[in-house]
Amino acid sequence: GYMQKIGEMESQNLANTSWAFATLGISDDPLMDVISAAAIAKIDEFKARRCSNLAELFDFTSFALALAWSLAFAGRMSPTTAAPLRRRIVALGLDMDELASDQEAAPRGAPRGRGGGNDADEEAVHLRLPGLPFALVNLPGIMVIFKPENWEVNRGDPAVHRRQVEWQLLSDWVTLALPRARYPLPHSTEFDFGFIHRLDVPSSGLVLSAKTFQGHASLRFQLDTHALCREYIVVCRHSIDPRNVDLAFRLSVDKQKMKSEVDARGAPARTFLKNQAYLWPQLDPDNLDTLVAVKIQTGRHHQIRAHLTHLEHPTIADGRYGESTVLLKDSHIHGDMMWFESYFGRLVVPLFHEAGPNRASAESATTEQFGISQGHRRQSGGGFEATLGAGPECED
């Protein structure tokens, strides 16, 4: 019957079938058990081939991670399934480290991609300077990076996709902080510099990053199986009903507006809320705002902002999903701020009733107007159409 045919399916078809059942909410425990057993057999068969193509090995690992996600999302990731699957996925990551190190042609005997070697090579990741990222946790193969506001967790080749941005790129920092010969992954545009997830440009917070493929596989498995929790603190407009604790609205992305919205045909998304406090805004003391602790099970594009906006409680300073009045577009104010930063060498933090320290430059404002070099302007953290203190967001 169909159980036998599952074992004959290609790896990607196994992952697609498991994903489809999980996202549609169809419960079939025997089917999921057979798929997980077939997947483990496929991984063992693939490893026995000793693949020498890094891209192919990465794609196969992505299949295994997609399967792990679907099993966890369907509630079928038992300890007896998780342990062997995790062990095999991390082993695939180790194989990728070997291939990547060979491609970098590091000298024989040099530490390559496994966290060995001289710790002095990584001193730069620990430097804590105003407005710059730093490694809050630095372990063999993985880092937890503190990302300041106005830094983008970017993907792909910056020379192609991010030539005109006014903010700074986290890939620039990580490639300068980690030596390429020892850590090829953070220097790879093809594999997104080892970043496990994203965080919106206007937000500050923690970003998981891998220094090795083994670390990448381990972090991704934990994230995809919900062993890692992502929690945020957000201030929302008005008083949220404390009964709104579990939001499972599906989301789709409007490609033109680059905004997410609730759509019954969209991808599954789940957000958990817990009210922490109520706040009286200075601007309108008759209306309460809400301090909310947020935990996300999935990481869709602008998931937190889209879910909260659907409840009619956007974050207080989100000009894209909430009120556009929180955007700073006055060219004269922006010019004064840029002059102050250039002359005194200090960032300007404008004080608004309901806004954080982010700001946007006017469309008419140019570098030549203020006599500021592009290098200094990037360092100052200005950004076109950035919102003031928009709530944090994590995306996959």
Side-chain angles (χ1 to χ4, degrees):
Y2 75 93
M3 297 294 186
Q4 180 180 354
K5 290 184 178 180
I6 286 176
E8 300 171 359
M9 294 172 67
E10 295 294 328
S11 302
Q12 189 60 56
N13 291 335
L14 277 177
N16 291 344
T17 302
S18 179
W19 187 90
F21 272 75
T23 55
L24 291 173
I26 301 175
S27 178
D28 191 326
D29 293 349
L31 175 65
M32 288 299 193
D33 291 340
V34 172
I35 287 178
S36 62
I40 289 176
K42 293 287 184 184
I43 295 174
D44 291 340
E45 178 185 334
F46 183 85
K47 279 188 63 64
R49 284 175 42 201
R50 297 187 177 277
C51 177
S52 59
N53 184 290
L54 183 59
E56 182 182 355
L57 190 52
F58 188 86
D59 288 342
F60 187 84
T61 305
S62 297
F63 134 72
L65 289 166
L67 178 74
W69 179 91
S70 62
L71 290 173
F73 193 80
R76 294 299 303 165
M77 183 60 78
S78 65
T80 55
T81 301
L85 191 56
R86 179 186 183 279
R87 185 167 59 251
R88 286 166 170 80
I89 288 175
V90 172
L92 289 171
L94 184 58
D95 291 343
M96 283 188 280
D97 281 326
E98 295 287 350
L99 284 177
S101 296
D102 291 341
Q103 290 179 9
E104 287 297 320
R108 184 177 299 276
R112 301 185 299 180
R114 297 198 198 177
N118 188 355
D119 290 338
D121 292 343
E122 300 180 43
E123 285 184 357
V125 303
H126 299 289
L127 291 176
R128 300 193 180 192
L129 299 175
L132 295 180
F134 62 88
L136 188 67
V137 177
N138 185 25
L139 300 173
I142 65 175
M143 285 193 302
V144 180
I145 302 171
F146 175 78
K147 182 194 87 69
E149 60 188 18
N150 291 328
W151 284 75
E152 179 184 358
V153 187
N154 57 302
R155 294 174 175 173
D157 188 350
V160 176
H161 301 289
R162 289 292 183 269
R163 290 177 294 178
Q164 304 299 326
V165 297
E166 295 296 313
W167 48 80
Q168 302 192 76
L169 305 180
L170 198 60
S171 64
D172 291 343
W173 176 82
V174 77
T175 53
L176 287 172
L178 294 174
R180 184 184 188 116
R182 184 176 174 190
Y183 296 114
L185 174 59
H187 293 261
S188 172
T189 59
E190 183 180 1
F191 302 112
D192 297 330
F193 311 99
F195 300 139
I196 304 300
H197 59 89
R198 301 185 67 190
L199 189 64
D200 276 1
V201 173
S203 303
S204 62
L206 303 181
V207 175
L208 291 172
S209 180
K211 298 187 292 184
T212 66
F213 285 101
Q214 186 180 22
H216 188 278
S218 177
L219 286 175
R220 276 294 309 275
F221 183 84
Q222 293 176 71
L223 194 65
D224 291 345
T225 58
H226 312 146
L228 283 173
C229 295
R230 291 171 284 179
E231 298 183 353
Y232 308 88
I233 291 291
V234 182
V235 179
C236 305
R237 297 284 296 175
H238 308 309
S239 174
I240 294 182
D241 188 334
R243 292 174 294 182
N244 288 322
V245 295
D246 187 354
L247 310 181
F249 306 114
R250 291 173 174 261
L251 297 175
S252 62
V253 180
D254 186 323
K255 297 295 185 180
Q256 292 184 338
K257 297 180 180 179
M258 288 307 295
K259 292 175 61 176
S260 293
E261 57 187 17
V262 171
D263 182 353
R265 298 170 297 177
R270 198 169 188 184
T271 304
F272 300 96
L273 307 179
K274 186 176 182 181
N275 291 7
Q276 301 295 307
Y278 293 104
L279 314 173
W280 279 271
Q282 297 180 41
L283 193 63
D284 186 3
D286 293 331
N287 289 310
L288 288 175
D289 288 340
T290 311
L291 181 70
V292 186
V294 181
K295 182 167 71 173
I296 57 175
Q297 188 180 72
T298 53
R300 305 301 174 194
H301 179 77
H302 294 171
Q303 176 177 318
I304 295 175
R305 296 159 74 181
H307 273 172
L308 290 173
T309 300
H310 182 70
L311 293 180
E312 299 183 353
H313 297 288
T315 54
I316 60 170
D318 190 347
R320 173 172 292 187
Y321 285 83
E323 299 179 4
S324 62
T325 54
V326 300
L327 289 172
L328 176 60
K329 297 182 179 181
D330 188 296
S331 60
H332 298 292
I333 295 177
H334 182 265
D336 292 341
M337 291 164 57
M338 296 298 287
W339 174 86
F340 185 95
E341 290 182 2
S342 174
Y343 190 83
F344 292 102
R346 296 181 61 185
L347 291 175
V348 175
V349 182
L351 179 61
F352 295 91
H353 287 300
E354 290 194 344
N358 292 343
R359 78 265 193 243
S361 59
E363 294 181 3
S364 61
T366 63
T367 303
E368 291 77 12
Q369 277 181 275
F370 311 119
I372 301 170
S373 69
Q374 182 67 16
H376 181 87
R377 189 176 187 185
R378 287 175 60 85
Q379 190 174 26
S380 69
F384 285 108
E385 294 299 317
T387 58
L388 297 168
E393 181 58 51
C394 182
E395 304 166 5
D396 283 337

